[in-house]
Amino acid sequence: MSSLSQDIKYKLSRLNVLEKIIVINIVVFVLGLLLKPYMIWFKLPSDFGDFILKPWSIITYAFLHFDLWHLLFNMLWLYFLGRMFLNLFSPKMALNVYFLGAICGGFIFMLGYTILPSFFGGYSNLVGASAAVRALLIFLCAYMPNQEIRFFTFNLKLWYVGAAIVVIDVLGLFGANSGGNLAHLGGAILGYFYAKQLFKGNDIGKGFERVMDTVAGWFKPSKKGPLKTVHKNKGKMGGYTKTDFKEFNNQKKIDVILDKISKSGYDSLTAEEKEFLFRSGK
């Protein structure tokens, strides 16, 4: 039993952040089947008044799937998008886009029901990771629109995929799942805006990232120990080590390569640039 537990912990530690989110979604799905009556507390209500009573639902709704196909579809998208995203950007940025997409989708959902309740059919609840997944997808489509992906026997530019998904979601506003499609569009808007701001050197997720770091710090054990004598590190220059300078230079090189991808596509990279980007993604 101990060996099995250690094996599970080892395999979980090898997952990237978005694969860990997939695992959490699957676990929550199973728990939802067993504790279905209690899941109402984690759904996002369409009414702002009800939302005030359970503000955590703006995040928790994105982990709830009561339909197996809905879960499977979202997690497959998340898996493939995650591999592409994390090969180019940091895990923290992936979490920023994912959770901000869920939050934006949730608020657009509630706003739609508040402004046009008759159009959306009255009171409802929102569940599913679709808005968060849309944010990742449209972020990539907006950041490197000319990047090509293989679709069966031919190649498609990323922006074609993003445009098709957005059109489907707009048409879905007039269907049975109008509220869900509205949330999808909210996630898509966040992903597009995030990518365009990042082009300008403005990471709009930094504030949210600091909040996540603060919350994560609450659950970390204190590392305080006895006071120690501090010796000056002669290997530092101006307060920075050689490693700091190396990381800075690598990041600048990554930025230049990403800018080249956004303008000319992935295929415009040299073999050396592709190898460097692959190693950096590791």
Side-chain angles (χ1 to χ4, degrees):
M1 186 67 180
S2 176
S3 177
L4 177 62
S5 176
Q6 290 175 353
D7 188 46
I8 292 173
K9 287 180 179 179
Y10 173 75
K11 289 182 177 179
L12 288 175
S13 68
R14 302 279 293 177
L15 299 177
N16 65 50
V17 290
L18 295 179
E19 288 172 342
K20 288 177 181 177
I21 286 179
I22 292 174
V23 172
I24 294 172
N25 272 276
I26 294 172
V27 171
V28 171
F29 176 74
V30 175
L31 290 175
L33 295 177
L34 300 174
L35 304 170
K36 197 169 184 177
Y38 301 98
M39 293 296 106
I40 187 66
W41 290 100
F42 304 101
K43 298 178 182 179
L44 180 67
S46 58
D47 183 81
F48 275 105
D50 290 343
F51 164 68
I52 292 173
L53 298 177
K54 47 178 183 176
W56 56 84
S57 62
I58 196 68
I59 294 290
T60 57
Y61 87 89
F63 290 92
L64 299 181
H65 297 83
F66 293 121
D67 180 85
L68 179 60
W69 291 110
H70 188 202
L71 172 71
L72 181 62
F73 188 76
N74 276 337
M75 296 305 103
L76 283 174
W77 268 106
L78 183 55
Y79 176 75
F80 289 112
L81 289 172
R83 292 172 67 88
M84 187 183 299
F85 195 102
L86 292 171
N87 197 39
L88 300 170
F89 303 99
S90 70
K92 283 192 175 182
M93 185 174 289
L95 292 177
N96 290 345
V97 176
Y98 185 87
F99 284 111
L100 287 175
I103 292 170
C104 186
F107 274 113
I108 293 293
F109 167 78
M110 291 188 289
L111 187 62
Y113 273 83
T114 300
I115 297 175
L116 297 170
S118 58
F119 177 82
F120 290 103
Y123 189 87
S124 183
N125 289 291
L126 181 66
V127 297
S130 299
V133 173
R134 287 294 194 283
L136 288 171
L137 171 63
I138 301 303
F139 175 97
L140 290 171
C141 293
Y143 197 85
M144 44 184 187
N146 295 317
Q147 171 66 34
E148 293 187 343
I149 59 171
R150 192 72 174 170
F151 186 75
F152 293 106
T153 58
F154 55 92
N155 293 337
L156 279 177
K157 289 186 177 181
L158 262 179
W159 80 266
Y160 294 165
V161 178
I165 293 295
V166 169
V167 169
I168 291 171
D169 287 333
V170 170
L171 294 176
L173 293 175
F174 303 94
N177 187 29
S178 57
N181 283 282
L182 183 62
H184 299 173
L185 291 171
I189 290 170
L190 182 280
Y192 181 85
F193 183 69
Y194 200 128
K196 290 303 180 183
Q197 286 297 306
L198 194 63
F199 259 129
K200 300 176 182 178
N202 180 27
D203 185 350
I204 64 172
K206 280 298 181 183
F208 179 75
E209 184 179 314
R210 286 192 289 270
V211 172
M212 285 201 301
D213 287 341
T214 300
V215 173
W218 296 343
F219 301 95
K220 289 182 179 178
S222 176
K223 294 183 179 180
K224 289 183 178 180
L227 295 176
K228 297 180 179 179
T229 303
V230 178
H231 299 278
K232 186 176 180 180
N233 189 341
K234 294 181 180 180
K236 288 190 174 183
M237 295 176 58
Y240 296 95
T241 65
K242 290 182 180 179
T243 302
D244 294 331
F245 282 110
K246 183 178 180 181
E247 289 179 356
F248 175 78
N249 290 331
N250 284 345
Q251 185 59 51
K252 293 298 289 184
K253 189 172 181 180
I254 290 172
D255 292 340
V256 171
I257 293 174
L258 293 178
D259 185 56
K260 187 175 179 180
I261 291 174
S262 67
K263 291 179 180 178
S264 308
Y266 181 79
D267 290 336
S268 67
L269 299 183
T270 64
E272 181 184 353
E273 288 171 331
K274 290 179 180 179
E275 176 63 21
F276 177 79
L277 193 60
F278 178 78
R279 285 188 280 104
S280 299
K282 291 288 186 179

